[in-house]
Amino acid sequence: MATFSLKIISSDKVFYDGKCQYLSIPAPDGQKAIMAHHENMVIAVEIGELHFKNPEGEWVTAAVSKGFAEIINNRVSVLVNTAERPEDIDVKRAEEAKERAEEQLRQKQSIQEYHLSQASLARAMARLRASKDNHWNL
């Protein structure tokens, strides 16, 4: 199967740098799939789960936060604030963050605080989903 270069960069590390057969990223209008020789473009990345298939045919999952993906000349660069492997996620801490965000959403707050609480809830839920869903496949 044809491959392309993939580099996933978070704010604190390079999460992955190598070849890839298939990439699925969370976008504002749903999951976007990228394969070799994809059209050049820039795509917004939303909070959610990113999945890719490495050259050995193994699926890798990451819980990612907001950012963007740039596709140019059979090379994809994904730049996000955070990227975590499911096995690196502290489930207890993510559940506590979810509960805190839900409680903050129930309270009266400014529009800015409301959006921050929504983002915190979305990130906690994405981390929990990624930690439980380790059998992703097409």
Side-chain angles (χ1 to χ4, degrees):
M1 179 176 249
T3 62
F4 57 93
S5 294
L6 173 64
K7 192 168 195 177
I8 302 171
I9 305 167
S10 67
S11 60
D12 60 340
K13 67 181 179 240
V14 175
F15 181 82
Y16 180 81
D17 188 5
K19 293 291 184 183
C20 176
Q21 293 180 9
Y22 180 91
L23 171 65
S24 174
I25 57 172
D29 55 346
Q31 289 290 120
K32 294 289 185 191
I34 300 162
M35 296 179 78
H37 309 293
H38 194 284
E39 177 181 32
N40 293 346
M41 62 175 46
V42 175
I43 302 170
V45 175
E46 286 294 315
I47 297 170
E49 290 179 62
L50 175 147
H51 306 278
F52 67 91
K53 192 174 191 179
N54 64 22
E56 292 78 36
E58 299 168 346
W59 285 97
V60 178
T61 298
V64 295
S65 61
K66 289 192 175 209
F68 69 93
E70 178 186 57
I71 307 161
I72 296 178
N73 297 329
N74 214 33
R75 278 183 259 141
V76 179
S77 298
V78 179
L79 299 148
V80 290
N81 287 327
T82 61
E84 297 175 278
R85 295 185 185 282
E87 57 269 16
D88 295 338
I89 294 172
D90 182 346
V91 176
K92 185 178 180 210
R93 202 173 109 221
E95 286 173 349
E96 290 169 355
K98 178 180 177 256
E99 290 169 11
R100 273 194 312 274
E102 287 172 338
E103 179 59 36
Q104 288 172 345
L105 284 170
R106 284 192 283 273
Q107 299 173 5
K108 283 189 174 184
Q109 47 187 314
S110 70
I111 296 295
Q112 181 180 6
E113 290 170 328
Y114 174 79
H115 289 294
L116 288 172
S117 297
Q118 270 190 325
S120 296
L121 179 61
R123 182 168 184 260
M125 291 176 67
R127 294 178 76 223
L128 288 169
R129 250 190 329 272
S131 70
K132 293 175 183 160
D133 182 26
N134 58 3
H135 298 295
W136 197 83
N137 206 340
L138 287 179

